[in-house]
Amino acid sequence: MPDITLYTVPQCADCEAIKRLLQHEDAPFTEKNVRGDPQALAEMQRRADVRIAPVTIIDDQVFYGPFSDQRHRILAALGKRT
Amino acid sequence: MTSRPQADLPDIPQPLTYFVDGMDCASCVVKVERMVDTLPGTEGVKTSFTKQTLTLHLDEHQTSRATLEKNLKALGYTPSLLRQSPPAVTTPPEAHDHAGHDHTGHDHAEHEHAGHTHEVAPAGTPWYRTGQGRLVVTSGILLLAAWLFGFIEPRFATAGYIAATLLGVWPLAKKAVASARLGDPFSINMLVSLAAIGAVAIGEAPEGAVVVFFFAIGELLEGVAAGRARAGIQALAALAPKTALLVEGTGTREVPADQLQVGQTVQVNPGARVPADGTILRGTSSLDDSPVTGESVPVTKSAGDMVFAGSINTDGTLTIQVEKAANDNTIARIIHLVEEAESNKAPTARFIDRFSRWYTPGVVLVSALVILVPPLAFGGAWHDWLYKGISLLLIGCPCALVLSVPASITSAISAGTRRGLLIKGGGALETIGSVKTIAFDKTGTLTAGKPKVTDVLGQGLDRAEVLRLAAAVESGSSHPLAKAITQAAQESQITVPPATDAQALPGRGATATVEGRALSVTSPRHAATLAPLSAALSGAVTSFEEQGRTAVVLLEGQTPLGVIAIRDEPRPDARAALAQLHGLGVKTVMLTGDNARTGQAIARDLGLDVQAELLPEDKLRLIGELKAQGGVAMVGDGINDAPALAQSDVGIAMGGGTDVALETADAALLQERVTGVADLVALSRATMGNIKVNIAFALGLKAIFLVTTLLGYTNLWMAILADTGATALVTANALRLLRWKSQATTKTPPIAPAPHTA
């Protein structure tokens, strides 16, 4: 099982969609809310060099941007069809 | 990530770069970019995900920095201008890597469900070419051969029957063992395996062979039913054209559609089908989106609008920027979602598993008692009672039962998809029909989300003049109300004069200098603080608001010149749809962040309850409360209310062509129609009714033959034949759902309050 961390903010449809996608693929992940949590935000910037959620980190691969950009990359990283 | 084609940039020395506080999610970025794009004089808008900054070229003769910043604040973001740094360039995500993907067919993960699964054969495979089909044909031939040998050489016949039995039982026994490993030893497969092996053991191989054979036929029929349902869906995929006209320089070149890359430009001529999902760069045309949405009325689309692969371009020539690779376009995703949904088991399908958990041990126990009790207690003949016990086991094999649910679910999901109702699984299909309450988001769901000017009142000047001046003041603003005013001026073909010193007053309105006059468009509350409104105007304002409209006042200095009423119109079919839902016995409620007066007025027009002035967390709390009262479905756009959709029992996204909506919602309405919600409820109930009939039918026949066999009126063969008849009937009944039509053909006139005459 790959190690997956998902950085999110509340009320964010793209974050919600990625959560659903990972649950659907039975891929366990750690969710970190970066809004109002400077430590988590700093960690997200350190690992991904991105300030805007959602950010998905699968092992050593970093994905960011809207859900439609991330979806097939996440599936490919999980070894699924795109 | 904006990838607008760079027009000729005006000669501006330096781009502006803002750090935008609060722009911390991808959809916020989209919101900000859209807003900035609509402002006149903005070019080359880029967002840096790395720095949370917005970079753009701004022609300040058209839109001032102040206006841009005010607009950002109005959306809830705080911009701060960075020192003129080198422009932050967006790092585009790495190029699409299409190497190493296998796009031939779908790899369906092998779900080892305890219970009943069937393979998904590629569409167009004849039934006898599938694995299940080959099994049926082989054991059928063996059976026939054995039966013929029965007339010549009975010993061979027995061998044939045994071979046919073992051949048929083998896959079932494998599944039974797998289920037992997963902690479910009492599956239907186990029952059939036990019965068949028992039959061979007591020398009644023919019966065993026939039962297994018919069970295999039942499973085959279910596969055929599923295939019929799928064929309709996969026909959609064939609608996407094979070739596309790629724009290169000044000409076009024909290329295979599946080789189009994201970012390329294609031309679509009148009468042709759109080759890829994308955005219109140039041209206007009516598009028939029926392959994707089931909506047969063509939709007019122009620059900036999304188009779907497979849609028919009816009249204009369009230039389109490709946004999705062929294997990832909307129609391919819908087909994939439907196939997944059909292989997901509904709770009712799990009901069959639950049912077999007590049914199988029950049948086995009764058989064991029949075998053991009479010989032990009453000195009966072992062989006779053993035979009776095994017969019971054989009759107990519920061939028709195992396909009573999946065939119905598959047919219903297919029927829905072809009518623009995308249901992402049997579970959702089952729940929708049983919810007590359906909650609707207001903007963009019950209303079109496009506010329109309904009335214009002038004080000492005519309506056109009020509209002309107001539109000039609002020309630089992206506020929905401002857009409604500028659009109304455009529709009345009014030439809008240029404005200078435009300023937004967040929450109050806008000011500008037009033709040397200091004008403003403000809320009535703000206008009243400057100068009292005349009785006629203030009376009009009050009555507009009571009709669910928003009023704004045009002022010159402190003198009111007129009032404009704006309303976000309910969708034309909203009222009829809600009436249908009430007719189905479902409670409806509207959730909105709007002010209570406007919210109540719209809800009253549509005839539903309302909860107004809600914050996002209030919506979640209300959904939770409704959930506790017996199930709630939430209807929204799938973007702004994704959390509420996720919180509800069934989340329904409207106009759900977007990736996010397709992922987060349990069901998506591909047409912009509220009646789709009522259709979903009706389809769900029709499906559950169909399933109940099937189950009753399968079990009823079983019960009858069980009793009559025990009493000696019928024999084993009749019971087996009856079960085969039931299997065929159940399949036919499930396939009826493929022809399901929505009942919603009642046309009601759209709701438009009578124009206010002052």
Side-chain angles (χ1 to χ4, degrees), chain B residues 407-421:
Chain B
S408 304
I409 296 271
T410 308
S411 301
I413 287 178
S414 292
T417 306
R418 283 188 298 181
R419 288 164 185 76
L421 315 171

Side-chain angles (χ1 to χ4, degrees), chain B residues 485-711:
Chain B
I485 292 173
T486 49
Q487 196 192 352
Q490 220 174 5
E491 283 168 3
S492 312
Q493 296 177 335
I494 295 170
T495 313
V496 177
T500 51
D501 310 331
Q503 279 222 322
L505 316 168
R508 294 200 296 269
T511 64
T513 307
V514 182
E515 296 168 345
R517 304 160 78 179
L519 298 177
S520 57
V521 176
T522 70
S523 67
R525 317 277 171 283
H526 182 64
T529 62
L530 301 174
L533 294 178
S534 68
L537 284 187
S538 69
V541 166
T542 308
S543 70
F544 285 149
E545 289 189 341
E546 280 168 357
Q547 291 164 339
R549 303 174 206 197
T550 309
V552 293
V553 183
L554 172 70
L555 300 151
E556 178 174 1
Q558 302 188 344
T559 318
L561 301 180
V563 173
I564 299 177
I566 298 161
R567 179 174 154 111
D568 185 5
E569 287 299 340
R571 292 183 189 274
D573 68 336
R575 192 191 176 90
L578 292 165
Q580 280 172 22
L581 284 170
H582 297 156
L584 291 163
V586 180
K587 283 196 299 214
T588 55
V589 61
M590 177 170 97
L591 306 180
T592 174
D594 256 1
N595 76 68
R597 205 196 275 182
T598 306
Q600 276 160 3
I602 293 207
R604 208 175 31 243
D605 274 344
L606 295 175
L608 81 166
D609 296 339
V610 62
Q611 295 273 3
E613 298 178 17
L614 299 176
L615 297 168
E617 51 267 37
D618 295 334
K619 284 189 191 177
L620 289 181
R621 184 178 47 78
L622 280 169
I623 293 280
E625 285 170 15
L626 290 168
K627 207 170 168 174
Q629 291 166 23
V632 60
M634 168 86 200
V635 189
D637 62 5
I639 309 281
N640 300 315
D641 40 27
L645 292 190
Q647 167 95 12
S648 63
D649 292 302
V650 184
I652 302 170
M654 239 175 102
T658 67
D659 280 330
V660 170
L662 287 180
E663 192 71 42
T664 45
D666 301 303
L669 305 177
L670 300 172
Q671 307 175 3
E672 302 263 315
R673 287 193 193 161
V674 191
T675 36
V677 180
D679 288 347
L680 276 176
V681 173
L683 176 60
S684 165
R685 291 186 185 176
T687 311
M688 295 320 288
N690 189 288
I691 286 174
K692 281 175 187 143
V693 168
N694 280 353
I695 290 178
F697 201 79
L699 288 184
L701 268 177
K702 278 269 165 277
I704 292 167
F705 275 88
L706 203 61
V707 173
T708 52
T709 304
L710 275 183
L711 296 176

Side-chain angles (χ1 to χ4, degrees), chain B residues 83-98:
Chain B
R83 287 286 95 226
Q84 297 290 10
S85 56
V89 179
T90 342
T91 10
E94 63 276 18
H96 290 250
D97 165 29
H98 287 300

Side-chain angles (χ1 to χ4, degrees), chain A residues 5 19 27 57 65:
Chain A
T5 311
K19 276 197 260 181
I57 301 186

Side-chain angles (χ1 to χ4, degrees), chain B residues 95-98 244 246 255-266 276-277 320-326:
Chain B
H96 290 250
D97 165 29
H98 287 300
L246 184 65
V255 296
D258 55 10
Q259 287 180 14
L260 287 173
Q261 302 284 319
V262 175
Q264 288 183 326
T265 311
V266 293
D277 280 18
I320 292 168
Q321 180 165 35
V322 177
E323 301 219 330
K324 288 274 170 64

Side-chain angles (χ1 to χ4, degrees), chain A:
Chain A
M1 265 296 163
D3 176 50
I4 306 176
T5 311
L6 175 63
Y7 296 92
T8 60
V9 292
Q11 300 293 329
C12 149
D14 295 83
C15 310
E16 205 66 53
I18 292 181
K19 276 197 260 181
R20 286 273 181 130
L21 178 70
L22 292 171
Q23 282 159 2
H24 182 87
E25 297 295 344
D26 292 329
F29 60 95
T30 314
E31 184 186 352
K32 292 187 180 171
N33 174 2
V34 299
R35 187 175 292 168
D37 182 347
Q39 262 182 317
L41 181 63
E43 179 184 316
M44 176 168 100
Q45 279 188 269
R46 196 188 71 241
R47 293 180 70 187
D49 191 24
V50 170
R51 289 184 58 97
I52 294 173
V55 172
T56 318
I57 301 186
I58 300 180
D59 288 337
D60 53 357
Q61 303 179 68
V62 173
F63 308 108
Y64 66 91
F67 175 71
S68 51
D69 284 1
Q70 291 196 42
R71 190 178 68 90
H72 64 273
R73 295 198 174 84
I74 290 172
L75 288 171
L78 296 172
K80 295 283 181 343
R81 69 178 283 280
T82 56

Side-chain angles (χ1 to χ4, degrees), chain B residues 163-238:
Chain B
T165 311
L166 293 179
L167 181 80
V169 146
W170 179 243
L172 299 178
K174 267 203 306 195
K175 283 186 203 163
V177 169
S179 307
R181 282 229 183 97
L182 290 171
D184 181 19
F186 291 117
S187 60
I188 298 281
N189 291 320
M190 184 64 80
L191 177 63
V192 181
S193 310
L194 277 180
I197 293 164
V200 172
I202 57 167
E204 301 295 345
E207 282 88 340
V210 168
V211 165
V212 173
F213 177 64
F214 282 138
F215 192 77
I217 284 188
E219 289 210 315
L220 174 70
L221 274 176
E222 188 208 321
V224 169
R228 278 273 302 274
R230 277 198 193 90
I233 300 298
Q234 289 182 323
L236 298 175

